[in-house]
Amino acid sequence: MNIILLSGGSGRRLWPLSNETRSKQFLKLLRDQDGQPESMVQRVFGQIQRAGIDANIVVATGISQRDSLLVQLGDAVDVVLEPERRDTFPAIVLASAYLADKKGMQRDEVVLVLPVDPYADLSYFYALLQMERLITDEMANIALMGIKPTYPSAKYGYIIPRPDGVGVERFQEKPDEASAARLIAGGALWNGGVFAFKLGYLLDIASRYIPSATYEEVRSHFSLLPKISFDYEVVEKEESIALVEYLGEWRDLGTWNTLTEIMDDRAIGRVILADTCENTHVINELGIPVTVLGAKDLVVAASPDGILVSDKHQSSYLKQYVDGIDQPPMYEERQWGDYRALDFTSFPDGTMTLTKKVLIKAGQVSGYQVHFMRDEIWTVIDGSGDLLLDGHARSVKRGDVVRISKGCKHSVRAKTNLYLIVVQIGVELTENDVEFYDVEWQHTAEVISGAMR
């Protein structure tokens, strides 16, 4: 079996913990079987393993989520980067082309596609095996998973099965609650966005837009694929559809009120939560304490990105209030370490400054990169490492200060855990202002060693 996990999300519904690069699936607010913190994506990956599913796993995502995925899942999965956001159909095509070209999968092999963050029990993953069998036995071109609804919701699409229980009669996209109740009474199921098909089936569809449909061709001509969902482009045009009904627990943890329902901890971080509080959850990622007294039905979340205090029911309307917040992500997790923003200031002349505390883990290397719209000032506050600045190598240690002008190539390798205070200065501060270059650190280390002798 081959599994494609779709990892997207704008990171606004669980603000301020989530942002453009740290979407909800990466927040470690759940507990694993050993009681250790885990994220939604880690939970799903663990459940695939516990269900005994032996599969090639590919995650389709954007560049902003790459490091978070690799940090949390390591080398256990392949990450396929979409050149741009173009909805689920292009993402699935790109990942399928990767399976064919880079992993050597054959056209008759089965591919399962599912979101990276469903909250479900193990029977959900056993249902994937049932879907695989339907496609392997050629019972249909596509198999879908229909989820037994627990209430009439306007947030989900619905699958209406045929009266004989075999296949699908039609689909209904996000009806109002009254219409949803009537659909459920007639046997309709939630559409959980889970698909199964043979690899060759999808590659043939992709070839209508990109004739060769190889991985390199799809990446190079990604914009030629229609910006449309897989449901609209493929599923709703297909007549040969099998349906597997899932009856177990399933939740969309996309808002604070739904997420806090399944959290084991009422308080995370430096929190003082009085006994007088009822049905209140507090999550604090700041270094200062948060104290909550006498609160009822509230969620309080504090991070470098901001502070949220909300009635739990009202938290489901959060996105419309925070969409207008215009600032860079204030916390990011990278392969080499992480950074936390300490201050963001915009001056009357248009100049902006962003001050970060950066950790580069021992043995890790930041990319050899250049910025064109900002200068940076680095102050080493602990640890030691090697710095490469426009081809010139030197050692750095606690107390050293380095100025990096715009247009200057730079990289650092940490000998020990290396902590920096980085001040960025420019008229535009964006994570897209970067260009990477190859560098051979072994040669650089020899240059530094020679300079020190």
Side-chain angles (χ1 to χ4, degrees):
M1 182 192 297
N2 302 281
I3 293 178
I4 296 173
L5 298 176
L6 300 178
S7 181
S10 62
R12 291 297 190 179
R13 297 188 187 278
L14 292 178
W15 184 92
L17 267 62
S18 61
N19 54 43
E20 288 295 326
T21 60
R22 190 192 184 204
S23 294
K24 66 177 183 179
Q25 56 265 35
F26 304 119
L27 303 179
K28 293 187 178 182
L29 301 178
L30 308 178
R31 294 280 179 180
D32 63 17
Q33 291 182 315
D34 299 322
Q36 298 301 309
E38 73 173 351
S39 67
M40 299 179 200
V41 66
Q42 288 173 322
R43 185 176 190 270
V44 166
F45 182 72
Q47 287 177 308
I48 291 173
Q49 293 179 311
R50 289 196 297 276
I53 297 175
D54 183 16
N56 291 299
I57 301 177
V58 174
V59 184
T61 190
I63 183 64
S64 64
Q65 294 185 8
R66 175 181 177 272
D67 279 12
S68 293
L69 281 164
L70 293 174
V71 167
Q72 295 200 359
L73 299 182
D75 298 328
V77 299
D78 292 299
V79 178
V80 172
L81 300 179
E82 305 160 47
E84 60 179 286
R85 287 185 177 178
R86 295 195 65 79
D87 219 317
T88 55
F89 172 68
I92 293 170
V93 168
L94 182 65
S96 297
Y98 179 88
L99 285 169
D101 284 2
K102 302 301 182 182
K103 304 298 287 186
M105 300 298 111
Q106 301 301 308
R107 288 176 55 87
D108 62 350
E109 295 204 40
V110 178
V111 177
L112 269 293
V113 180
L114 60 147
V116 78
D117 56 358
Y119 188 85
D121 57 42
L122 273 185
S123 60
Y124 176 95
F125 298 90
Y126 297 141
L128 299 181
L129 297 172
Q130 186 179 350
M131 295 172 68
E132 179 192 31
R133 287 193 294 271
L134 288 171
I135 298 301
T136 299
D137 295 342
E138 299 185 345
M139 301 299 292
N141 288 333
I142 295 178
L144 304 180
M145 180 188 291
I147 297 165
K148 185 72 173 178
T150 53
Y151 64 97
S153 172
K155 296 189 299 182
Y156 310 126
Y158 287 77
I159 302 171
I160 295 88
R162 289 177 180 168
D164 60 6
V166 179
V168 174
E169 180 177 286
R170 63 185 179 90
F171 300 89
Q172 177 65 53
E173 181 65 21
K174 297 182 180 179
D176 57 50
E177 290 188 6
S179 299
R182 290 192 293 270
L183 289 170
I184 292 171
L189 305 169
W190 283 335
N191 185 350
V194 184
F195 319 104
F197 48 82
K198 288 189 176 180
L199 181 58
Y201 169 82
L202 188 64
L203 294 179
D204 288 342
I205 293 175
S207 67
R208 300 171 189 170
Y209 301 98
I210 303 174
S212 66
T214 64
Y215 177 66
E216 286 76 13
E217 284 295 309
V218 173
R219 274 197 60 85
S220 299
H221 301 92
F222 197 67
S223 61
L224 296 180
L225 295 170
K227 192 174 184 179
I228 192 171
S229 73
F230 187 83
D231 291 271
Y232 285 151
E233 178 63 20
V234 179
V235 178
E236 296 193 12
K237 296 178 181 179
E238 179 59 61
E239 295 183 358
S240 177
I241 301 176
L243 182 61
V244 172
E245 186 173 354
Y246 169 65
L247 304 176
E249 181 182 21
W250 183 88
R251 302 191 192 204
D252 176 12
L253 304 183
T255 58
W256 279 114
N257 56 328
T258 56
L259 177 57
T260 53
E261 287 176 358
I262 55 86
M263 285 175 56
D264 294 322
D265 302 300
R266 292 180 58 207
I268 298 175
R270 293 190 66 185
V271 174
I272 300 171
L273 188 63
D275 293 338
T276 52
C277 294
E278 299 178 28
N279 189 31
T280 292
H281 286 74
V282 184
I283 302 96
N284 180 21
E285 292 189 332
L286 300 176
I288 55 177
V290 171
T291 303
V292 182
L293 311 176
K296 182 178 180 180
D297 300 328
L298 291 186
V299 57
V300 179
S303 86
D305 278 33
I307 298 173
L308 169 71
V309 180
S310 174
D311 169 82
K312 285 191 175 180
H313 176 71
Q314 290 295 315
S315 69
S316 61
Y317 305 105
L318 174 64
K319 187 175 185 294
Q320 67 190 55
Y321 292 97
V322 299
D323 271 346
I325 296 176
D326 184 20
Q327 68 179 23
M330 306 296 272
Y331 174 83
E332 285 196 45
E333 194 174 32
R334 299 292 183 89
Q335 280 186 280
W336 43 257
D338 60 50
Y339 78 74
R340 185 178 302 271
L342 304 177
D343 178 74
F344 174 71
T345 304
S346 180
F347 295 97
D349 67 353
T351 301
M352 294 179 285
T353 64
L354 178 62
T355 304
K356 303 177 179 179
K357 183 179 181 180
V358 179
L359 163 64
I360 302 175
K361 297 177 181 177
Q364 295 296 312
V365 179
S366 68
Y368 193 40
Q369 59 195 277
V370 62
H371 310 297
F372 299 101
M373 294 184 289
R374 68 176 185 254
D375 300 322
E376 295 188 349
I377 300 172
W378 294 6
T379 302
V380 182
I381 58 174
D382 195 37
S384 62
D386 300 326
L387 173 70
L388 187 62
L389 198 60
D390 266 347
H392 300 285
R394 54 172 280 203
S395 294
V396 291
K397 63 184 185 306
R398 179 191 289 170
D400 287 347
V401 177
V402 180
R403 180 181 178 88
I404 301 173
S405 301
K406 59 177 69 71
C408 182
K409 298 176 186 177
H410 57 281
S411 176
V412 65
R413 181 175 64 177
K415 295 178 181 177
T416 65
N417 280 352
L418 187 63
Y419 293 88
L420 311 171
I421 298 297
V422 175
V423 181
Q424 299 176 349
I425 306 171
V427 294
E428 184 175 347
L429 302 180
T430 170
E431 292 303 308
N432 295 324
D433 175 26
V434 61
E435 187 172 308
F436 289 96
Y437 299 85
D438 292 330
V439 61
E440 177 52 63
W441 263 104
Q442 181 60 39
H443 172 69
T444 302
E446 292 170 358
V447 171
I448 295 174
S449 297
M452 295 179 65
R453 283 198 288 269

